[in-house]
Amino acid sequence: EVQLQASGGGSVQAGGSLRLSCAASGFTFGDYDVGWFRQAPGRAREGVSGIHFRDKLLYYADSVKDRFIMTSDKVKNMVYLQMINLKPDDTAVYYCAAGTVKLINGTAHMTDFVSWGSGTQVTVSS
């Protein structure tokens, strides 16, 4: 069974940093890809970052480029999201998910979702 568990959220002031972790089980990286998503109250879910393991393709939402870095550890089956220079607009529940990363009209997206992990709350105060 494909399972994911996100952790590492917390409350920080604007300009602060957090590192989220996603523990994956039930699949090998490459069988599925992994992405980070977030949802703030009253807002639609937003894709934040994702990785296509076989092609080593990383992508980021424009809103987080140059501030968030996604990494993975295939031995530990872990995926991380290092977030720096956090802004109040980054406040949301963050989720990791397994699926397939595809290029659609030149832009990477995650589709064919297999599993969603439980979220972790990130709160950034001004």
Side-chain angles (χ1 to χ4, degrees):
E1 181 185 4
V2 175
Q3 292 185 325
L4 302 101
Q5 174 71 51
S7 62
S11 296
V12 297
Q13 291 189 325
S17 302
L18 282 172
R19 186 196 195 206
L20 304 184
S21 299
C22 175
S25 62
F27 68 104
T28 301
F29 287 177
D31 291 341
Y32 300 112
D33 303 315
V34 175
W36 284 100
F37 298 81
R38 66 186 181 185
Q39 188 162 21
R43 294 187 179 182
R45 186 182 66 201
E46 176 188 14
V48 174
S49 180
I51 181 168
H52 187 291
F53 289 109
R54 293 185 178 180
D55 292 347
K56 296 180 174 57
L57 170 68
L58 273 168
Y59 68 90
Y60 299 93
D62 288 342
S63 57
V64 305
K65 279 180 182 177
D66 300 324
R67 299 189 299 119
F68 290 13
I69 298 175
M70 183 176 179
T71 57
S72 63
D73 184 329
K74 291 186 177 184
V75 174
K76 296 180 179 179
N77 248 39
M78 296 287 296
V79 174
Y80 306 97
L81 187 68
Q82 178 68 50
M83 308 184 294
I84 65 171
N85 191 21
L86 283 161
K87 303 176 181 181
D89 278 351
D90 295 318
T91 296
V93 178
Y94 285 70
Y95 302 87
C96 52
T100 302
V101 171
K102 296 180 180 178
L103 282 177
I104 302 174
N105 295 326
T107 302
H109 298 275
M110 177 163 276
T111 64
D112 304 327
F113 293 98
V114 176
S115 181
W116 287 85
S118 57
T120 185
Q121 176 71 46
V122 171
T123 302
V124 184
S125 58
S126 57

